[in-house]
Amino acid sequence: MQIEIGSPLGPLTLTSIEGKLTQLQFAGQRASNPDIQNKDPATKDLLIIQQASLQLLEYFNGKRQEFSLPLSPQGTKFQKEAWNIIKKIPYGETRSYTWQSDAMKKLRAQRAVGVANSKNPLPIFIPCHRIIAKNGSLKSYVGGALVKKRLLFHEVFFNSGEKLGFPLE
């Protein structure tokens, strides 16, 4: 089941299969599994998308720092390992691709983890926006550089106690 919701970042499309969240897409992003569109929507899929929508709203309002949803991201073993490491980065903090590859015990695999991060089907829920280059540059992001910047600013501001929300640029 796929449902589009509004957000401060623009429209987001949430996908659920068998009661688990499988994908979050930003506006203009191509679906990795376009055959899912509202086929036989089950109650458990509607429920998980409602829960995800509520938790995203709480996140954007600065009232949630961690998500508690059943996630089922589809990817290779390496990609899933990379995404699991990302989940360990605290809200409002960043880590480098080098840190991520070292944490995976895949020394000098920064490019490979960068590619794995670019395939993350559940950005925000699996916060790959918290991974930046060692020199502090933001690098690429599935939702675009501006979205990554806004997510990082959002978390830093709410984490510091300042209720500034999303900057425009």
Side-chain angles (χ1 to χ4, degrees):
M1 160 177 249
Q2 285 186 329
I3 293 181
E4 186 177 284
I5 64 168
S7 83
L9 301 172
L12 302 175
T13 302
L14 298 172
T15 304
S16 172
I17 299 174
E18 297 179 5
K20 294 180 181 172
L21 200 61
T22 59
Q23 196 168 45
L24 179 149
Q25 297 166 278
F26 295 100
Q29 195 179 351
R30 226 174 28 153
S32 65
N33 191 353
D35 296 332
I36 296 181
Q37 301 229 351
N38 295 328
K39 282 189 178 175
D40 196 23
T43 303
K44 61 186 175 184
D45 287 327
L46 184 56
L47 180 61
I48 192 65
I49 288 180
Q50 287 174 335
Q51 290 172 343
S53 299
L54 176 62
Q55 289 189 23
L56 281 169
L57 178 65
E58 292 170 346
Y59 170 82
F60 290 129
N61 286 327
K63 297 181 186 330
R64 176 175 290 277
Q65 295 185 355
E66 294 179 17
F67 296 97
S68 58
L69 298 163
L71 305 178
S72 184
Q74 300 303 303
T76 66
K77 181 181 175 184
F78 182 85
Q79 289 169 337
K80 289 179 181 181
E81 185 180 352
W83 303 333
N84 283 329
I85 293 295
I86 291 171
K87 290 185 209 174
K88 296 178 181 180
I89 304 169
Y91 177 91
E93 296 184 19
T94 58
R95 300 289 187 273
S96 69
Y97 294 97
T98 301
W99 172 88
Q100 186 180 8
S101 66
D102 289 352
M104 294 171 62
K105 300 192 180 0
K106 310 278 189 208
L107 306 181
R108 298 208 283 265
Q110 296 89 346
R111 287 185 188 204
V113 297
V115 170
N117 294 352
S118 74
K119 306 289 186 194
N120 175 6
L122 288 164
I124 303 176
F125 296 107
I126 299 173
C128 56
H129 60 276
R130 296 179 189 157
I131 297 289
I132 61 173
K134 196 157 98 171
N135 67 6
S137 64
L138 298 184
K139 296 292 182 186
S140 63
Y141 184 65
V142 68
L146 181 57
V147 169
K148 182 171 187 165
K149 186 177 181 180
R150 291 178 79 190
L151 287 167
L152 290 171
F153 274 122
H154 168 75
E155 290 187 8
V156 167
F157 290 136
F158 277 110
N159 200 35
S160 69
E162 299 177 39
K163 304 300 182 203
L164 300 176
F166 281 84
L168 296 176
E169 297 184 59

